[in-house]
Every structure is written in C-alpha cells, then in structure tokens.
Amino acid sequence: MKVNKFLGATILSASVVSGIGIAYAQTSSSTPSAAPSPSTSGTQYNQSSAAASDNSSNANSNMSAPSSTSSSTTSSSNASDSAGAVAERQPRADRN
Amino acid sequence: MKPIGKWLSSSSAQVVAGTCAGVILGVAGLLAFSAPAPSQANVKPSEWTAAQRTGPLFAAFGQATPAEDVRDLADWVADSGDAGHGPFLVIDKKNARMYIFDSNSTLVADSTILLGGARGDDTVPGIGSRPIEQVRPEERTTPAGRFVGERGHDARGEDVVWVDYDAAVSIHRVLTTNPAERRLERLASASREDKRISYGCINVPKAFYEKQVQPLFARRRAVVYVLPEVKRLHDVFNMYEVRTRYAGR
C-alpha cells in the first residue's frame, strides 16, 4: 500500500510538471516570429548573356577618360542593414 | 529520532517522497527533450559564427561561370555574413553583369546590364543634385563600393532601387526614351563596350527587373556590392580571401 502511494504520487507529480512544461513550451514557440523575408529563390532565371546580334561600331564613340574624382564609397561592413520595413525616400531624378 | 522515524514510515511520508521524485523526474524529462543540440538549433549554418564552423562557407554559383573577383567577393560575403545573412547583389562592372544571391548565398539569377558611360570607381561630390544635362561625360561613373539598396521612385515616377540615393544612382528597367542610345541593342550585344551608356545608373532588362530585382526589394533592403573596375578589389572592400583564410586549419 505504501509502495502504491509512493508510485502514485510520483506519477501524478511528474505528469503535472511535464504538462505545465509542455504547455509553456508550446505557448512560447507559438509567439509570432519575424516575418519571413521574400526570397527570390526557386525560379532559376538566368538572363542569357548577350545574344550576339549587334557588334556595331559606335560603341566606343562616347567613351570618356576615367574619372579622377574623390571617393565617396565606403568599404563595408555593417551586417545589419538588410532587414526591416523600408519607408520610401522622396522621389528624385536619377542618372538614367 | 523516534518521531521522525515513525513519520518516515508513515503513508504521508511516502506521498511526499513520491511527489518529490515525480517533480524531479518531470523536470529531468523536460530538460532532456526540450533543449536542442547545437546542430539541431533553428539556425542556418550560414549564420554560425566562424568559431562554431569547422570550415569555410562559399557562395553557390551553380552552372554560372563568373569572373574571379565576383567569386571572391561572394565567397567572402557568404563566409563573413557581411550582408547580414540576407539576399545580396553583386555588380561586375568589368563584365557588365549583375548577380543576385539569396540569403544562403546561392545564385538565383544573373543578367547583363548597362552602366555609366565613364570608367571609374568614384563619384563626384554633389553630382546627385545636378541636372543631368550638366553631368559631363567623364563624370558618368557607376561608383564602386558597398551600398544598402532600397526601393523608391525616380522623378519620372517609375519605381527604382536606389543604390546610392545621394549620388542619384539607381537600378531600373532599361530606358528606351532616347532611341539614339540603342539601349536594348546594347543589352543584347556581346561587346562589353556597348554596355557603357548611362549617366551612372544601372539598367537591367525589364523582365529581369520585374521578376528578380523588384520582388527582392519589395519589403526589405539588401546589400549591393559594386565591384571596382579601376581600383583593386581589396582597396574597395575590407575583405579576406576565404580560400586562404581557412588553409591552415
């Protein structure tokens, strides 16, 4: 009888603890995570390279000397700037 | 001691002992089944730190055969996580090609492109505010560097991806408003010289823009790496060579 009480109490308390733990785990795992980013994978779109149709001559006619202006580029490296919603900037003229 | 010994042998003591044992068993069971092993954790291998990894990560190009600079840079982005483990673009100015990678550094698309008419990797300060007719031929460069691209609109009302907003450099559908420039023919041409026609912007085929570029930037930013054509790769990007970095490990 004593053994039965011991076993019964063990099983009951283990069940209660497990139940609470599982319920907590399910609650925390079902909280919304970050929205999945739109991925472009899946469709293999390889733009065919240059169907050799036009090798006409005036390609070099308006080529200029290399620019020797001051640099405004930076060479990296914040690894954080690809995520997050984007608010559009003011429309402006681009360089065609 | 007698009362304690008596209590220990009582039925209530058995219940208390059983409850304690049950709690311990329950907690132990939960810990055993809930804690994931490091390899099972919900983290992609590409997001592991260098210390967690045993080897390098490389970009996957599939059947594509890019220039060595493109491969070196993409491998570095894959290994270092420089793009924040998100999708990224690489623009090869020398060969006038754009490569789009997903967040696993796998190439998903590439295309021929049109670029600024002038060779050079720098941009003129204040050029973005200048009327386009005042931009001299030698100033029509597509600047090299690391940029955070984002969607937007230009003054024509068309949606674009801003590469360098201040310098007014964007990625957009190929412009056909000036037939004399023959931009569609230039896109189709095998000649690299033919690709240099814009004032600095990056023109891509319409279908490529709408199927690949536009969706990528619809809800997020992405890093755009524009490779230099005059400077050395390592002078523009603070990068390392993945192949040699892991050679001694």
Side-chain angles (χ1 to χ4, degrees):
Chain A
M1 200 60 190
K2 283 176 183 173
V3 172
N4 285 347
K5 282 184 179 176
F6 177 81
L7 280 177
T10 302
I11 292 167
L12 186 66
S13 54
S15 303
V16 169
V17 169
S18 302
I20 292 170
I22 290 167
Y24 176 77
Q26 283 178 342
T27 306
S28 59
S29 66
S30 64
T31 49
S33 56
S37 61
S39 171
T40 59
S41 60
T43 50
Q44 191 75 15
Y45 182 101
N46 283 318
Q47 181 72 28
S48 63
S49 62
S53 59
D54 182 7
N55 285 324
S56 59
S57 57
N58 58 356
N60 287 324
S61 60
N62 55 359
M63 288 295 143
S64 311
S67 168
S68 58
T69 53
S70 63
S71 171
S72 67
T73 56
T74 52
S75 56
S76 85
S77 293
N78 290 327
S80 60
D81 22 40
S82 57
V86 183
E88 270 196 36
R89 299 210 209 189
Q90 201 68 6
R92 66 172 302 178
D94 61 15
R95 284 159 61 186
N96 285 349
Chain B
M1 287 302 286
K2 235 180 181 181
I4 294 173
K6 194 176 179 183
W7 182 80
L8 283 175
S9 62
S10 69
S11 60
S12 57
Q14 298 300 321
V15 171
V16 170
T19 304
C20 291
V23 168
I24 291 167
L25 277 175
V27 170
L30 284 174
L31 287 176
F33 287 104
S34 64
S39 60
Q40 296 171 320
N42 190 23
V43 177
K44 292 182 290 186
S46 60
E47 294 175 9
W48 294 356
T49 64
Q52 289 174 299
R53 282 191 269 113
T54 54
L57 284 177
F58 295 103
F61 283 90
Q63 301 299 313
T65 52
E68 192 174 342
D69 279 358
V70 175
R71 192 175 285 279
D72 285 348
L73 184 107
D75 285 346
W76 167 69
V77 174
D79 191 73
S80 67
D82 185 77
H85 305 288
F88 63 95
L89 276 66
V90 177
I91 292 171
D92 177 7
K93 288 201 292 177
K94 289 178 185 170
N95 296 293
R97 271 202 102 69
M98 175 186 291
Y99 298 84
I100 299 180
F101 296 85
D102 66 12
S103 55
N104 293 317
S105 303
T106 299
L107 179 68
V108 293
D110 62 294
S111 172
T112 185
I113 56 175
L114 301 181
L115 297 157
R119 298 211 184 284
D121 298 319
D122 300 320
T123 195
V124 179
I127 196 171
S129 307
R130 242 195 273 166
I132 198 159
E133 58 273 12
Q134 292 180 14
V135 177
R136 294 193 297 270
E138 68 271 18
E139 296 175 336
R140 298 173 188 172
T141 55
T142 300
R146 180 188 190 274
F147 304 92
V148 179
E150 60 184 285
R151 67 181 167 83
H153 284 81
D154 62 14
R156 298 182 298 273
E158 291 181 8
D159 60 292
V160 300
V161 171
W162 290 114
V163 175
D164 187 343
Y165 181 83
D166 294 335
V169 175
S170 70
I171 302 169
H172 55 70
R173 299 171 187 83
V174 58
L175 277 186
T176 56
T177 49
N178 183 357
E181 291 179 334
R182 303 166 33 254
R183 293 199 181 195
L184 288 176
E185 291 173 56
R186 288 171 182 272
L187 272 178
S189 168
S191 166
R192 282 182 288 189
E193 299 304 317
D194 280 352
K195 313 296 185 185
R196 314 307 295 257
I197 185 63
S198 83
Y199 286 65
C201 280
I202 299 148
N203 288 215
V204 302
K206 182 173 181 286
F208 183 80
Y209 182 86
E210 291 173 354
K211 288 180 185 172
Q212 302 296 338
V213 179
Q214 196 178 41
L216 182 67
F217 290 90
R219 293 181 184 172
R220 65 178 302 156
R221 299 183 180 95
V223 181
V224 180
Y225 299 90
V226 183
L227 306 193
E229 57 188 337
V230 176
K231 296 178 179 176
R232 293 185 316 148
L233 191 63
H234 290 260
D235 291 339
V236 176
F237 300 103
N238 185 21
M239 58 180 282
Y240 54 83
E241 281 193 17
V242 178
R243 282 169 293 181
T244 55
R245 182 183 177 93
Y246 291 86
R249 292 195 182 185

